[in-house]
Amino acid sequence: MKFNTIAITAAMHDEAQAAEARLKARYAHVPPEEASVIVALGGDGFMLQTLHAFMEKGTPIFGMNRGSVGFLMNGYTDDGLMERLARAEPINLRPLHMTVEDIHGRHHEALAINEVSLLRDTGFAAKISIHVDGVMRMEEMICDGVLVATPAGSTAYNNAVHGPILPLGAELLALTPISAFRPRHWRGALLPQNARVTFDVLDADRRRVRAGADFNEVRDVARVSVAVNGTVSPTLLFDPEHNLEERIIKEQFVP
């Protein structure tokens, strides 16, 4: 792939800022709004912020890890940036669209690249019912919460709460409970990528629940609906020898 103009952005911590200064001294660059590709320096959190910021514009993003986890990032080096960009392979992501009605009757919307999650917001356990494509699948789950994860996000929070890791080409969503008390042994479900999942919060005034789409959060939710968004598809760029599909497969064999 050939890019005419690049932008270089970085997280605010020292390691990322120092890398940004070195790269800007070596390579011609423009503001992110004018670039044909964005080089993002940081960890997965900063990558998610950058993807959200430029999702509508559709600018491809090449990340280099100057953070902690860096699952969505390539390895970092000062050398050969333009050659790496020319060889990079694209991965097109399909974010989730979250719509929320809160207990005050207000409506909210947000996009999620990793997951949409519901979490209890008081000392009471949450009580949540689940519909899939309009069909009641669970009348009441007593839990700390529940989430829907994309394949790209299945290795993040979803995996931390023992949800399955999904290959990018699986065209599936992971529906995963978070510390479910009843039904005690329910481990979640795999759903078609085109499924619409609706959560109703039971006793929502007393058992307060918040909903998050990546880092965008809504409190006091009554109903949350989740489906794949069909209008935007952010693009990540990876070194051929270090692509996301391969990383997801390798992650399933980590002891």
Side-chain angles (χ1 to χ4, degrees), residues 13-206:
H13 58 266
D14 291 346
E15 188 177 18
Q17 290 288 305
E20 179 186 31
R22 291 194 298 271
L23 291 180
K24 284 186 172 180
R26 293 188 62 171
Y27 302 100
H29 57 277
V30 299
E33 295 76 17
E34 301 174 14
S36 57
V37 64
I38 295 172
V39 177
L41 307 169
D44 285 346
F46 183 69
M47 173 58 83
L48 283 178
Q49 293 176 24
T50 307
L51 285 166
H52 276 273
F54 297 95
M55 196 181 303
E56 296 291 340
K57 192 171 184 291
T59 309
I61 300 173
F62 182 86
M64 288 197 285
N65 189 18
R66 293 286 84 185
S68 51
V69 179
F71 192 84
L72 298 175
M73 316 298 275
N74 297 282
Y76 177 80
T77 177
D78 295 351
D79 301 322
L81 177 59
M82 301 310 294
E83 291 77 12
R84 290 177 74 185
L85 290 174
R87 295 173 55 243
E89 297 178 347
I91 293 288
N92 294 314
L93 306 179
R94 299 192 66 189
L96 299 171
H97 181 218
M98 176 183 79
T99 58
V100 177
E101 180 181 348
D102 66 27
I103 62 175
H104 312 290
R106 297 185 295 248
H107 291 82
H108 313 263
E109 297 184 37
L111 295 177
I113 291 164
N114 274 359
E115 76 278 319
V116 170
S117 60
L118 281 71
L119 293 168
R120 68 184 177 100
D121 214 12
T122 70
F124 295 107
K127 291 187 175 182
I128 299 171
S129 68
I130 304 173
H131 288 76
V132 179
D133 292 329
V135 178
M136 172 72 78
R137 294 300 182 185
M138 187 167 293
E139 291 188 11
E140 181 183 273
M141 178 170 62
I142 303 174
C143 57
D144 280 353
V146 64
L147 63 80
V148 179
T150 66
S154 66
T155 58
Y157 189 18
N158 173 72
N159 188 37
V161 295
H162 309 295
I165 294 175
L166 305 178
L168 283 179
E171 297 188 354
L172 295 171
L173 300 174
L175 172 61
T176 304
I178 302 170
S179 300
F181 180 69
R182 290 285 190 275
R184 189 178 297 275
H185 300 295
W186 188 62
R187 300 296 302 272
L190 294 176
L191 302 176
Q193 194 173 50
N194 61 355
R196 175 174 291 274
V197 185
T198 301
F199 304 103
D200 286 308
V201 180
L202 310 178
D203 195 11
D205 287 316
R206 190 165 70 100

